[in-house]
Amino acid sequence: MKQITVREAEAGQRLLKLLSRCLKEAPDSFLHKMLRKKNITLNHKKADGSERVQAGDEIRIFLSDETYEKFAGAPKERETPYPVTELDILYEDEHILLVNKPAGMLTQKAKPSDVSLNEYVLGYLQQSGQWSESAGGVRPSVCNRLDRNTSGIVICGKSVAGLQKMAELLRSRELHKYYQCLVKGQISESRRIRGFLWKDPQTNKVEILPQERKGAAPIETAYRPLRVFADSTLLEVRLITGRSHQIRAHLASEGHPIIGDYKYGLPGVNEAYRKRYGLCSQLLHACRLELPVLEAPFEALSGRCFEAELPEPMKTIIRGKEEQPHVNLEYERTSGIRPGGDDQPHQ
């Protein structure tokens, strides 16, 4: 007989899913049969596999050692080492990790040979003794994506509960994400813009359409100017929908491409900034994350706001702009595009 005690990081998932991790070579039909025959019990009681397990729950598996080892699979000879780098961690608890990702780093792998933030997070948790691949159980992961050359806050889930709750908040849009970017041209008022985004999978580039088309997704983006310079504007942007390349393409479609954006920006403008500042990535930064009121076990996150400081290249360029004549439009945070604000949407 084998006994498994559910750990905090594993809580919240269905019993059958946890069993399939422990007995990864066993088909679901076998697990269902063992549950029906009470060869697998939950807290000394019969279970059907649909129960959501909690920390401290006891799972008993009444199989011979030979059968258990057959379905558990051969143990790994050694722990797979994940890469380690210095992470700018903004917040961490047993369920959630918030990281300020630098520009130039992938959030998730695009191909098997890539090394991304996801691998660095696993390396950090592995090195700090918080997670072990060989122990099985839940695999921590990033919950939201930023483009390679976009910096800022990325949410990572460390437990089943954390992964599920962050996915729920992102899906329901209860979690508000704010960005800052430097765009070409002067923008003097707040706007909320809509359109339809169509992505070409061959080129990994999107197109913004004024009307619906088959395969296009509706999008909505809100922004307000923070500083207006002679030839550019520092914007705060809130993603109301979250689609691939949405901010970059949506602003470019309005005639205000992000400076340094080599996919949707203006080559001449980007080249000028490259020569003057060595800029090689778009000036777009996920600067703020606002969470709604949350219940246990997320009370430490309830109603909180997290901010990530602008990266040095962006601060350097903005400081240079401030020496030029400009208009100051530093509004209070309660104005403009805050949730429930009075700004009128524009088509």
mmCIF file with all atom_site columns, all heavy atoms in Angstrom, residues 4-7 10-11 13-24 31 42 49 53-54 57 59 136-138 160:
data_model
loop_
_atom_site.group_PDB
_atom_site.id
_atom_site.type_symbol
_atom_site.label_atom_id
_atom_site.label_alt_id
_atom_site.label_comp_id
_atom_site.label_asym_id
_atom_site.label_entity_id
_atom_site.label_seq_id
_atom_site.pdbx_PDB_ins_code
_atom_site.Cartn_x
_atom_site.Cartn_y
_atom_site.Cartn_z
_atom_site.occupancy
_atom_site.B_iso_or_equiv
_atom_site.pdbx_formal_charge
_atom_site.auth_seq_id
_atom_site.auth_comp_id
_atom_site.auth_asym_id
_atom_site.auth_atom_id
_atom_site.pdbx_PDB_model_num
ATOM 1   N N   . ILE A 1 4   ? -0.196  8.790  -0.088  1.00 0.00 ? 4   ILE A N   1
ATOM 2   C CA  . ILE A 1 4   ? 0.234   10.101 -0.579  1.00 0.00 ? 4   ILE A CA  1
ATOM 3   C C   . ILE A 1 4   ? -0.507  11.170 0.215   1.00 0.00 ? 4   ILE A C   1
ATOM 4   O O   . ILE A 1 4   ? -1.738  11.117 0.334   1.00 0.00 ? 4   ILE A O   1
ATOM 5   C CB  . ILE A 1 4   ? -0.082  10.261 -2.085  1.00 0.00 ? 4   ILE A CB  1
ATOM 6   C CG1 . ILE A 1 4   ? 0.674   9.209  -2.902  1.00 0.00 ? 4   ILE A CG1 1
ATOM 7   C CG2 . ILE A 1 4   ? 0.258   11.674 -2.555  1.00 0.00 ? 4   ILE A CG2 1
ATOM 8   C CD1 . ILE A 1 4   ? 0.229   9.143  -4.347  1.00 0.00 ? 4   ILE A CD1 1
ATOM 9   N N   . THR A 1 5   ? 0.215   12.109 0.766   1.00 0.00 ? 5   THR A N   1
ATOM 10  C CA  . THR A 1 5   ? -0.396  13.251 1.460   1.00 0.00 ? 5   THR A CA  1
ATOM 11  C C   . THR A 1 5   ? -0.320  14.456 0.524   1.00 0.00 ? 5   THR A C   1
ATOM 12  O O   . THR A 1 5   ? 0.766   14.809 0.041   1.00 0.00 ? 5   THR A O   1
ATOM 13  C CB  . THR A 1 5   ? 0.336   13.564 2.781   1.00 0.00 ? 5   THR A CB  1
ATOM 14  O OG1 . THR A 1 5   ? 0.282   12.403 3.625   1.00 0.00 ? 5   THR A OG1 1
ATOM 15  C CG2 . THR A 1 5   ? -0.328  14.739 3.494   1.00 0.00 ? 5   THR A CG2 1
ATOM 16  N N   . VAL A 1 6   ? -1.459  15.048 0.238   1.00 0.00 ? 6   VAL A N   1
ATOM 17  C CA  . VAL A 1 6   ? -1.529  16.170 -0.714  1.00 0.00 ? 6   VAL A CA  1
ATOM 18  C C   . VAL A 1 6   ? -0.811  17.382 -0.134  1.00 0.00 ? 6   VAL A C   1
ATOM 19  O O   . VAL A 1 6   ? -1.069  17.798 1.005   1.00 0.00 ? 6   VAL A O   1
ATOM 20  C CB  . VAL A 1 6   ? -2.997  16.520 -1.040  1.00 0.00 ? 6   VAL A CB  1
ATOM 21  C CG1 . VAL A 1 6   ? -3.055  17.713 -1.993  1.00 0.00 ? 6   VAL A CG1 1
ATOM 22  C CG2 . VAL A 1 6   ? -3.705  15.307 -1.646  1.00 0.00 ? 6   VAL A CG2 1
ATOM 23  N N   . ARG A 1 7   ? 0.090   17.945 -0.916  1.00 0.00 ? 7   ARG A N   1
ATOM 24  C CA  . ARG A 1 7   ? 0.820   19.142 -0.508  1.00 0.00 ? 7   ARG A CA  1
ATOM 25  C C   . ARG A 1 7   ? 0.054   20.404 -0.874  1.00 0.00 ? 7   ARG A C   1
ATOM 26  O O   . ARG A 1 7   ? -0.844  20.386 -1.705  1.00 0.00 ? 7   ARG A O   1
ATOM 27  C CB  . ARG A 1 7   ? 2.199   19.164 -1.180  1.00 0.00 ? 7   ARG A CB  1
ATOM 28  C CG  . ARG A 1 7   ? 3.112   18.013 -0.744  1.00 0.00 ? 7   ARG A CG  1
ATOM 29  C CD  . ARG A 1 7   ? 4.360   17.946 -1.596  1.00 0.00 ? 7   ARG A CD  1
ATOM 30  N NE  . ARG A 1 7   ? 4.048   17.595 -2.975  1.00 0.00 ? 7   ARG A NE  1
ATOM 31  C CZ  . ARG A 1 7   ? 4.966   17.447 -3.923  1.00 0.00 ? 7   ARG A CZ  1
ATOM 32  N NH1 . ARG A 1 7   ? 6.235   17.638 -3.656  1.00 0.00 ? 7   ARG A NH1 1
ATOM 33  N NH2 . ARG A 1 7   ? 4.609   17.119 -5.149  1.00 0.00 ? 7   ARG A NH2 1
ATOM 34  N N   . GLU A 1 10  ? -0.285  21.302 -4.451  1.00 0.00 ? 10  GLU A N   1
ATOM 35  C CA  . GLU A 1 10  ? -1.108  20.413 -5.267  1.00 0.00 ? 10  GLU A CA  1
ATOM 36  C C   . GLU A 1 10  ? -2.596  20.595 -5.019  1.00 0.00 ? 10  GLU A C   1
ATOM 37  O O   . GLU A 1 10  ? -3.426  20.037 -5.733  1.00 0.00 ? 10  GLU A O   1
ATOM 38  C CB  . GLU A 1 10  ? -0.723  18.955 -4.980  1.00 0.00 ? 10  GLU A CB  1
ATOM 39  C CG  . GLU A 1 10  ? 0.713   18.632 -5.336  1.00 0.00 ? 10  GLU A CG  1
ATOM 40  C CD  . GLU A 1 10  ? 1.177   17.311 -4.754  1.00 0.00 ? 10  GLU A CD  1
ATOM 41  O OE1 . GLU A 1 10  ? 0.660   16.915 -3.689  1.00 0.00 ? 10  GLU A OE1 1
ATOM 42  O OE2 . GLU A 1 10  ? 2.069   16.684 -5.365  1.00 0.00 ? 10  GLU A OE2 1
ATOM 43  N N   . ALA A 1 11  ? -2.949  21.347 -3.981  1.00 0.00 ? 11  ALA A N   1
ATOM 44  C CA  . ALA A 1 11  ? -4.357  21.511 -3.601  1.00 0.00 ? 11  ALA A CA  1
ATOM 45  C C   . ALA A 1 11  ? -5.146  22.212 -4.696  1.00 0.00 ? 11  ALA A C   1
ATOM 46  O O   . ALA A 1 11  ? -4.634  23.086 -5.392  1.00 0.00 ? 11  ALA A O   1
ATOM 47  C CB  . ALA A 1 11  ? -4.450  22.302 -2.301  1.00 0.00 ? 11  ALA A CB  1
ATOM 48  N N   . GLN A 1 13  ? -6.679  20.731 -7.355  1.00 0.00 ? 13  GLN A N   1
ATOM 49  C CA  . GLN A 1 13  ? -6.859  19.960 -8.582  1.00 0.00 ? 13  GLN A CA  1
ATOM 50  C C   . GLN A 1 13  ? -7.728  18.740 -8.312  1.00 0.00 ? 13  GLN A C   1
ATOM 51  O O   . GLN A 1 13  ? -7.912  18.319 -7.172  1.00 0.00 ? 13  GLN A O   1
ATOM 52  C CB  . GLN A 1 13  ? -5.518  19.534 -9.161  1.00 0.00 ? 13  GLN A CB  1
ATOM 53  C CG  . GLN A 1 13  ? -4.706  18.599 -8.284  1.00 0.00 ? 13  GLN A CG  1
ATOM 54  C CD  . GLN A 1 13  ? -3.341  18.311 -8.866  1.00 0.00 ? 13  GLN A CD  1
ATOM 55  O OE1 . GLN A 1 13  ? -3.217  17.880 -10.013 1.00 0.00 ? 13  GLN A OE1 1
ATOM 56  N NE2 . GLN A 1 13  ? -2.299  18.557 -8.082  1.00 0.00 ? 13  GLN A NE2 1
ATOM 57  N N   . ARG A 1 14  ? -8.259  18.169 -9.370  1.00 0.00 ? 14  ARG A N   1
ATOM 58  C CA  . ARG A 1 14  ? -9.102  16.984 -9.219  1.00 0.00 ? 14  ARG A CA  1
ATOM 59  C C   . ARG A 1 14  ? -8.246  15.767 -8.872  1.00 0.00 ? 14  ARG A C   1
ATOM 60  O O   . ARG A 1 14  ? -7.095  15.653 -9.305  1.00 0.00 ? 14  ARG A O   1
ATOM 61  C CB  . ARG A 1 14  ? -9.911  16.741 -10.483 1.00 0.00 ? 14  ARG A CB  1
ATOM 62  C CG  . ARG A 1 14  ? -10.893 17.868 -10.786 1.00 0.00 ? 14  ARG A CG  1
ATOM 63  C CD  . ARG A 1 14  ? -11.892 17.494 -11.872 1.00 0.00 ? 14  ARG A CD  1
ATOM 64  N NE  . ARG A 1 14  ? -12.732 18.633 -12.210 1.00 0.00 ? 14  ARG A NE  1
ATOM 65  C CZ  . ARG A 1 14  ? -13.804 18.999 -11.510 1.00 0.00 ? 14  ARG A CZ  1
ATOM 66  N NH1 . ARG A 1 14  ? -14.152 18.297 -10.436 1.00 0.00 ? 14  ARG A NH1 1
ATOM 67  N NH2 . ARG A 1 14  ? -14.524 20.040 -11.876 1.00 0.00 ? 14  ARG A NH2 1
ATOM 68  N N   . LEU A 1 15  ? -8.846  14.883 -8.103  1.00 0.00 ? 15  LEU A N   1
ATOM 69  C CA  . LEU A 1 15  ? -8.135  13.689 -7.658  1.00 0.00 ? 15  LEU A CA  1
ATOM 70  C C   . LEU A 1 15  ? -7.584  12.894 -8.833  1.00 0.00 ? 15  LEU A C   1
ATOM 71  O O   . LEU A 1 15  ? -6.435  12.427 -8.799  1.00 0.00 ? 15  LEU A O   1
ATOM 72  C CB  . LEU A 1 15  ? -9.084  12.818 -6.822  1.00 0.00 ? 15  LEU A CB  1
ATOM 73  C CG  . LEU A 1 15  ? -8.560  11.435 -6.408  1.00 0.00 ? 15  LEU A CG  1
ATOM 74  C CD1 . LEU A 1 15  ? -7.296  11.551 -5.579  1.00 0.00 ? 15  LEU A CD1 1
ATOM 75  C CD2 . LEU A 1 15  ? -9.651  10.671 -5.665  1.00 0.00 ? 15  LEU A CD2 1
ATOM 76  N N   . LEU A 1 16  ? -8.397  12.727 -9.901  1.00 0.00 ? 16  LEU A N   1
ATOM 77  C CA  . LEU A 1 16  ? -7.954  11.924 -11.034 1.00 0.00 ? 16  LEU A CA  1
ATOM 78  C C   . LEU A 1 16  ? -6.701  12.520 -11.684 1.00 0.00 ? 16  LEU A C   1
ATOM 79  O O   . LEU A 1 16  ? -5.803  11.790 -12.108 1.00 0.00 ? 16  LEU A O   1
ATOM 80  C CB  . LEU A 1 16  ? -9.077  11.792 -12.066 1.00 0.00 ? 16  LEU A CB  1
ATOM 81  C CG  . LEU A 1 16  ? -8.787  10.848 -13.237 1.00 0.00 ? 16  LEU A CG  1
ATOM 82  C CD1 . LEU A 1 16  ? -8.643  9.416  -12.737 1.00 0.00 ? 16  LEU A CD1 1
ATOM 83  C CD2 . LEU A 1 16  ? -9.879  10.936 -14.293 1.00 0.00 ? 16  LEU A CD2 1
ATOM 84  N N   . LYS A 1 17  ? -6.633  13.851 -11.747 1.00 0.00 ? 17  LYS A N   1
ATOM 85  C CA  . LYS A 1 17  ? -5.462  14.499 -12.357 1.00 0.00 ? 17  LYS A CA  1
ATOM 86  C C   . LYS A 1 17  ? -4.219  14.251 -11.512 1.00 0.00 ? 17  LYS A C   1
ATOM 87  O O   . LYS A 1 17  ? -3.133  13.984 -12.045 1.00 0.00 ? 17  LYS A O   1
ATOM 88  C CB  . LYS A 1 17  ? -5.704  15.996 -12.517 1.00 0.00 ? 17  LYS A CB  1
ATOM 89  C CG  . LYS A 1 17  ? -4.618  16.698 -13.299 1.00 0.00 ? 17  LYS A CG  1
ATOM 90  C CD  . LYS A 1 17  ? -5.023  18.111 -13.672 1.00 0.00 ? 17  LYS A CD  1
ATOM 91  C CE  . LYS A 1 17  ? -3.965  18.756 -14.555 1.00 0.00 ? 17  LYS A CE  1
ATOM 92  N NZ  . LYS A 1 17  ? -4.350  20.119 -14.967 1.00 0.00 ? 17  LYS A NZ  1
ATOM 93  N N   . LEU A 1 18  ? -4.370  14.325 -10.188 1.00 0.00 ? 18  LEU A N   1
ATOM 94  C CA  . LEU A 1 18  ? -3.232  14.071 -9.316  1.00 0.00 ? 18  LEU A CA  1
ATOM 95  C C   . LEU A 1 18  ? -2.773  12.617 -9.432  1.00 0.00 ? 18  LEU A C   1
ATOM 96  O O   . LEU A 1 18  ? -1.567  12.331 -9.492  1.00 0.00 ? 18  LEU A O   1
ATOM 97  C CB  . LEU A 1 18  ? -3.602  14.394 -7.871  1.00 0.00 ? 18  LEU A CB  1
ATOM 98  C CG  . LEU A 1 18  ? -2.502  14.194 -6.810  1.00 0.00 ? 18  LEU A CG  1
ATOM 99  C CD1 . LEU A 1 18  ? -1.257  14.984 -7.172  1.00 0.00 ? 18  LEU A CD1 1
ATOM 100 C CD2 . LEU A 1 18  ? -3.001  14.574 -5.445  1.00 0.00 ? 18  LEU A CD2 1
ATOM 101 N N   . LEU A 1 19  ? -3.743  11.694 -9.512  1.00 0.00 ? 19  LEU A N   1
ATOM 102 C CA  . LEU A 1 19  ? -3.395  10.278 -9.666  1.00 0.00 ? 19  LEU A CA  1
ATOM 103 C C   . LEU A 1 19  ? -2.659  10.028 -10.980 1.00 0.00 ? 19  LEU A C   1
ATOM 104 O O   . LEU A 1 19  ? -1.718  9.241  -11.039 1.00 0.00 ? 19  LEU A O   1
ATOM 105 C CB  . LEU A 1 19  ? -4.661  9.419  -9.611  1.00 0.00 ? 19  LEU A CB  1
ATOM 106 C CG  . LEU A 1 19  ? -5.337  9.298  -8.237  1.00 0.00 ? 19  LEU A CG  1
ATOM 107 C CD1 . LEU A 1 19  ? -6.677  8.597  -8.374  1.00 0.00 ? 19  LEU A CD1 1
ATOM 108 C CD2 . LEU A 1 19  ? -4.440  8.546  -7.255  1.00 0.00 ? 19  LEU A CD2 1
ATOM 109 N N   . SER A 1 20  ? -3.088  10.730 -12.040 1.00 0.00 ? 20  SER A N   1
ATOM 110 C CA  . SER A 1 20  ? -2.448  10.526 -13.345 1.00 0.00 ? 20  SER A CA  1
ATOM 111 C C   . SER A 1 20  ? -1.021  11.059 -13.354 1.00 0.00 ? 20  SER A C   1
ATOM 112 O O   . SER A 1 20  ? -0.197  10.634 -14.157 1.00 0.00 ? 20  SER A O   1
ATOM 113 C CB  . SER A 1 20  ? -3.275  11.191 -14.455 1.00 0.00 ? 20  SER A CB  1
ATOM 114 O OG  . SER A 1 20  ? -3.278  12.595 -14.314 1.00 0.00 ? 20  SER A OG  1
ATOM 115 N N   . ARG A 1 21  ? -0.708  11.995 -12.449 1.00 0.00 ? 21  ARG A N   1
ATOM 116 C CA  . ARG A 1 21  ? 0.668   12.470 -12.324 1.00 0.00 ? 21  ARG A CA  1
ATOM 117 C C   . ARG A 1 21  ? 1.523   11.448 -11.577 1.00 0.00 ? 21  ARG A C   1
ATOM 118 O O   . ARG A 1 21  ? 2.684   11.213 -11.908 1.00 0.00 ? 21  ARG A O   1
ATOM 119 C CB  . ARG A 1 21  ? 0.705   13.813 -11.572 1.00 0.00 ? 21  ARG A CB  1
ATOM 120 C CG  . ARG A 1 21  ? 0.080   14.987 -12.311 1.00 0.00 ? 21  ARG A CG  1
ATOM 121 C CD  . ARG A 1 21  ? 0.192   16.239 -11.451 1.00 0.00 ? 21  ARG A CD  1
ATOM 122 N NE  . ARG A 1 21  ? -0.573  17.354 -11.984 1.00 0.00 ? 21  ARG A NE  1
ATOM 123 C CZ  . ARG A 1 21  ? -0.131  18.210 -12.884 1.00 0.00 ? 21  ARG A CZ  1
ATOM 124 N NH1 . ARG A 1 21  ? 1.081   18.066 -13.377 1.00 0.00 ? 21  ARG A NH1 1
ATOM 125 N NH2 . ARG A 1 21  ? -0.887  19.204 -13.315 1.00 0.00 ? 21  ARG A NH2 1
ATOM 126 N N   . CYS A 1 22  ? 0.930   10.847 -10.544 1.00 0.00 ? 22  CYS A N   1
ATOM 127 C CA  . CYS A 1 22  ? 1.668   9.856  -9.749  1.00 0.00 ? 22  CYS A CA  1
ATOM 128 C C   . CYS A 1 22  ? 1.836   8.545  -10.502 1.00 0.00 ? 22  CYS A C   1
ATOM 129 O O   . CYS A 1 22  ? 2.891   7.898  -10.423 1.00 0.00 ? 22  CYS A O   1
ATOM 130 C CB  . CYS A 1 22  ? 0.938   9.598  -8.433  1.00 0.00 ? 22  CYS A CB  1
ATOM 131 S SG  . CYS A 1 22  ? 0.800   11.051 -7.383  1.00 0.00 ? 22  CYS A SG  1
ATOM 132 N N   . LEU A 1 23  ? 0.781   8.139  -11.221 1.00 0.00 ? 23  LEU A N   1
ATOM 133 C CA  . LEU A 1 23  ? 0.802   6.883  -11.978 1.00 0.00 ? 23  LEU A CA  1
ATOM 134 C C   . LEU A 1 23  ? 0.700   7.235  -13.457 1.00 0.00 ? 23  LEU A C   1
ATOM 135 O O   . LEU A 1 23  ? -0.298  6.969  -14.127 1.00 0.00 ? 23  LEU A O   1
ATOM 136 C CB  . LEU A 1 23  ? -0.363  5.985  -11.526 1.00 0.00 ? 23  LEU A CB  1
ATOM 137 C CG  . LEU A 1 23  ? -0.345  5.597  -10.043 1.00 0.00 ? 23  LEU A CG  1
ATOM 138 C CD1 . LEU A 1 23  ? -1.648  4.924  -9.642  1.00 0.00 ? 23  LEU A CD1 1
ATOM 139 C CD2 . LEU A 1 23  ? 0.850   4.701  -9.733  1.00 0.00 ? 23  LEU A CD2 1
ATOM 140 N N   . LYS A 1 24  ? 1.730   7.878  -13.951 1.00 0.00 ? 24  LYS A N   1
ATOM 141 C CA  . LYS A 1 24  ? 1.684   8.477  -15.291 1.00 0.00 ? 24  LYS A CA  1
ATOM 142 C C   . LYS A 1 24  ? 1.573   7.465  -16.421 1.00 0.00 ? 24  LYS A C   1
ATOM 143 O O   . LYS A 1 24  ? 1.191   7.798  -17.535 1.00 0.00 ? 24  LYS A O   1
ATOM 144 C CB  . LYS A 1 24  ? 2.896   9.376  -15.519 1.00 0.00 ? 24  LYS A CB  1
ATOM 145 C CG  . LYS A 1 24  ? 4.240   8.760  -15.220 1.00 0.00 ? 24  LYS A CG  1
ATOM 146 C CD  . LYS A 1 24  ? 5.337   9.789  -15.402 1.00 0.00 ? 24  LYS A CD  1
ATOM 147 C CE  . LYS A 1 24  ? 6.698   9.238  -15.029 1.00 0.00 ? 24  LYS A CE  1
ATOM 148 N NZ  . LYS A 1 24  ? 6.826   8.982  -13.584 1.00 0.00 ? 24  LYS A NZ  1
ATOM 149 N N   . LEU A 1 31  ? -7.410  3.719  -13.639 1.00 0.00 ? 31  LEU A N   1
ATOM 150 C CA  . LEU A 1 31  ? -7.586  4.523  -12.424 1.00 0.00 ? 31  LEU A CA  1
ATOM 151 C C   . LEU A 1 31  ? -9.044  4.537  -11.986 1.00 0.00 ? 31  LEU A C   1
ATOM 152 O O   . LEU A 1 31  ? -9.352  4.406  -10.793 1.00 0.00 ? 31  LEU A O   1
ATOM 153 C CB  . LEU A 1 31  ? -7.076  5.942  -12.660 1.00 0.00 ? 31  LEU A CB  1
ATOM 154 C CG  . LEU A 1 31  ? -5.571  6.078  -12.947 1.00 0.00 ? 31  LEU A CG  1
ATOM 155 C CD1 . LEU A 1 31  ? -5.210  7.526  -13.265 1.00 0.00 ? 31  LEU A CD1 1
ATOM 156 C CD2 . LEU A 1 31  ? -4.742  5.571  -11.772 1.00 0.00 ? 31  LEU A CD2 1
ATOM 157 N N   . LEU A 1 42  ? -9.732  8.122  -0.875  1.00 0.00 ? 42  LEU A N   1
ATOM 158 C CA  . LEU A 1 42  ? -9.416  9.495  -0.476  1.00 0.00 ? 42  LEU A CA  1
ATOM 159 C C   . LEU A 1 42  ? -9.914  9.701  0.940   1.00 0.00 ? 42  LEU A C   1
ATOM 160 O O   . LEU A 1 42  ? -11.116 9.576  1.205   1.00 0.00 ? 42  LEU A O   1
ATOM 161 C CB  . LEU A 1 42  ? -10.087 10.498 -1.431  1.00 0.00 ? 42  LEU A CB  1
ATOM 162 C CG  . LEU A 1 42  ? -9.927  11.985 -1.088  1.00 0.00 ? 42  LEU A CG  1
ATOM 163 C CD1 . LEU A 1 42  ? -8.461  12.403 -1.159  1.00 0.00 ? 42  LEU A CD1 1
ATOM 164 C CD2 . LEU A 1 42  ? -10.772 12.851 -2.032  1.00 0.00 ? 42  LEU A CD2 1
ATOM 165 N N   . GLY A 1 49  ? -12.892 10.270 -8.369  1.00 0.00 ? 49  GLY A N   1
ATOM 166 C CA  . GLY A 1 49  ? -11.862 10.976 -9.129  1.00 0.00 ? 49  GLY A CA  1
ATOM 167 C C   . GLY A 1 49  ? -12.187 12.424 -9.425  1.00 0.00 ? 49  GLY A C   1
ATOM 168 O O   . GLY A 1 49  ? -11.305 13.196 -9.804  1.00 0.00 ? 49  GLY A O   1
ATOM 169 N N   . VAL A 1 53  ? -8.912  17.917 -4.413  1.00 0.00 ? 53  VAL A N   1
ATOM 170 C CA  . VAL A 1 53  ? -8.146  17.596 -3.211  1.00 0.00 ? 53  VAL A CA  1
ATOM 171 C C   . VAL A 1 53  ? -7.683  18.860 -2.499  1.00 0.00 ? 53  VAL A C   1
ATOM 172 O O   . VAL A 1 53  ? -7.493  19.914 -3.125  1.00 0.00 ? 53  VAL A O   1
ATOM 173 C CB  . VAL A 1 53  ? -6.939  16.707 -3.554  1.00 0.00 ? 53  VAL A CB  1
ATOM 174 C CG1 . VAL A 1 53  ? -7.416  15.368 -4.106  1.00 0.00 ? 53  VAL A CG1 1
ATOM 175 C CG2 . VAL A 1 53  ? -6.003  17.399 -4.555  1.00 0.00 ? 53  VAL A CG2 1
ATOM 176 N N   . GLN A 1 54  ? -7.520  18.743 -1.191  1.00 0.00 ? 54  GLN A N   1
ATOM 177 C CA  . GLN A 1 54  ? -7.050  19.838 -0.371  1.00 0.00 ? 54  GLN A CA  1
ATOM 178 C C   . GLN A 1 54  ? -5.752  19.429 0.322   1.00 0.00 ? 54  GLN A C   1
ATOM 179 O O   . GLN A 1 54  ? -5.461  18.239 0.487   1.00 0.00 ? 54  GLN A O   1
ATOM 180 C CB  . GLN A 1 54  ? -8.108  20.223 0.676   1.00 0.00 ? 54  GLN A CB  1
ATOM 181 C CG  . GLN A 1 54  ? -9.451  20.614 0.099   1.00 0.00 ? 54  GLN A CG  1
ATOM 182 C CD  . GLN A 1 54  ? -9.357  21.790 -0.861  1.00 0.00 ? 54  GLN A CD  1
ATOM 183 O OE1 . GLN A 1 54  ? -8.616  22.751 -0.608  1.00 0.00 ? 54  GLN A OE1 1
ATOM 184 N NE2 . GLN A 1 54  ? -10.100 21.721 -1.961  1.00 0.00 ? 54  GLN A NE2 1
ATOM 185 N N   . ASP A 1 57  ? -4.970  16.132 2.582   1.00 0.00 ? 57  ASP A N   1
ATOM 186 C CA  . ASP A 1 57  ? -5.773  14.957 2.228   1.00 0.00 ? 57  ASP A CA  1
ATOM 187 C C   . ASP A 1 57  ? -4.862  13.735 2.079   1.00 0.00 ? 57  ASP A C   1
ATOM 188 O O   . ASP A 1 57  ? -3.729  13.843 1.596   1.00 0.00 ? 57  ASP A O   1
ATOM 189 C CB  . ASP A 1 57  ? -6.530  15.173 0.914   1.00 0.00 ? 57  ASP A CB  1
ATOM 190 C CG  . ASP A 1 57  ? -7.766  16.059 1.084   1.00 0.00 ? 57  ASP A CG  1
ATOM 191 O OD1 . ASP A 1 57  ? -8.106  16.374 2.235   1.00 0.00 ? 57  ASP A OD1 1
ATOM 192 O OD2 . ASP A 1 57  ? -8.375  16.407 0.060   1.00 0.00 ? 57  ASP A OD2 1
ATOM 193 N N   . ILE A 1 59  ? -4.339  10.073 0.313   1.00 0.00 ? 59  ILE A N   1
ATOM 194 C CA  . ILE A 1 59  ? -4.711  9.160  -0.774  1.00 0.00 ? 59  ILE A CA  1
ATOM 195 C C   . ILE A 1 59  ? -4.001  7.836  -0.513  1.00 0.00 ? 59  ILE A C   1
ATOM 196 O O   . ILE A 1 59  ? -2.776  7.804  -0.333  1.00 0.00 ? 59  ILE A O   1
ATOM 197 C CB  . ILE A 1 59  ? -4.290  9.728  -2.144  1.00 0.00 ? 59  ILE A CB  1
ATOM 198 C CG1 . ILE A 1 59  ? -4.946  11.082 -2.380  1.00 0.00 ? 59  ILE A CG1 1
ATOM 199 C CG2 . ILE A 1 59  ? -4.645  8.748  -3.262  1.00 0.00 ? 59  ILE A CG2 1
ATOM 200 C CD1 . ILE A 1 59  ? -4.348  11.853 -3.539  1.00 0.00 ? 59  ILE A CD1 1
ATOM 201 N N   . GLY A 1 136 ? 7.404   15.036 -8.969  1.00 0.00 ? 136 GLY A N   1
ATOM 202 C CA  . GLY A 1 136 ? 6.098   15.044 -9.626  1.00 0.00 ? 136 GLY A CA  1
ATOM 203 C C   . GLY A 1 136 ? 5.260   16.213 -9.123  1.00 0.00 ? 136 GLY A C   1
ATOM 204 O O   . GLY A 1 136 ? 5.763   17.191 -8.602  1.00 0.00 ? 136 GLY A O   1
ATOM 205 N N   . GLY A 1 137 ? 3.945   16.091 -9.242  1.00 0.00 ? 137 GLY A N   1
ATOM 206 C CA  . GLY A 1 137 ? 3.067   17.159 -8.798  1.00 0.00 ? 137 GLY A CA  1
ATOM 207 C C   . GLY A 1 137 ? 2.965   18.271 -9.820  1.00 0.00 ? 137 GLY A C   1
ATOM 208 O O   . GLY A 1 137 ? 3.363   18.133 -10.978 1.00 0.00 ? 137 GLY A O   1
ATOM 209 N N   . VAL A 1 138 ? 2.460   19.415 -9.364  1.00 0.00 ? 138 VAL A N   1
ATOM 210 C CA  . VAL A 1 138 ? 2.206   20.528 -10.273 1.00 0.00 ? 138 VAL A CA  1
ATOM 211 C C   . VAL A 1 138 ? 3.517   21.125 -10.793 1.00 0.00 ? 138 VAL A C   1
ATOM 212 O O   . VAL A 1 138 ? 4.523   21.169 -10.076 1.00 0.00 ? 138 VAL A O   1
ATOM 213 C CB  . VAL A 1 138 ? 1.375   21.618 -9.558  1.00 0.00 ? 138 VAL A CB  1
ATOM 214 C CG1 . VAL A 1 138 ? 2.148   22.231 -8.410  1.00 0.00 ? 138 VAL A CG1 1
ATOM 215 C CG2 . VAL A 1 138 ? 0.947   22.700 -10.542 1.00 0.00 ? 138 VAL A CG2 1
ATOM 216 N N   . VAL A 1 160 ? -1.264  24.691 -7.849  1.00 0.00 ? 160 VAL A N   1
ATOM 217 C CA  . VAL A 1 160 ? -2.482  24.485 -8.642  1.00 0.00 ? 160 VAL A CA  1
ATOM 218 C C   . VAL A 1 160 ? -3.457  25.630 -8.395  1.00 0.00 ? 160 VAL A C   1
ATOM 219 O O   . VAL A 1 160 ? -4.030  26.203 -9.331  1.00 0.00 ? 160 VAL A O   1
ATOM 220 C CB  . VAL A 1 160 ? -3.141  23.135 -8.279  1.00 0.00 ? 160 VAL A CB  1
ATOM 221 C CG1 . VAL A 1 160 ? -4.500  23.009 -8.950  1.00 0.00 ? 160 VAL A CG1 1
ATOM 222 C CG2 . VAL A 1 160 ? -2.252  21.979 -8.705  1.00 0.00 ? 160 VAL A CG2 1
#
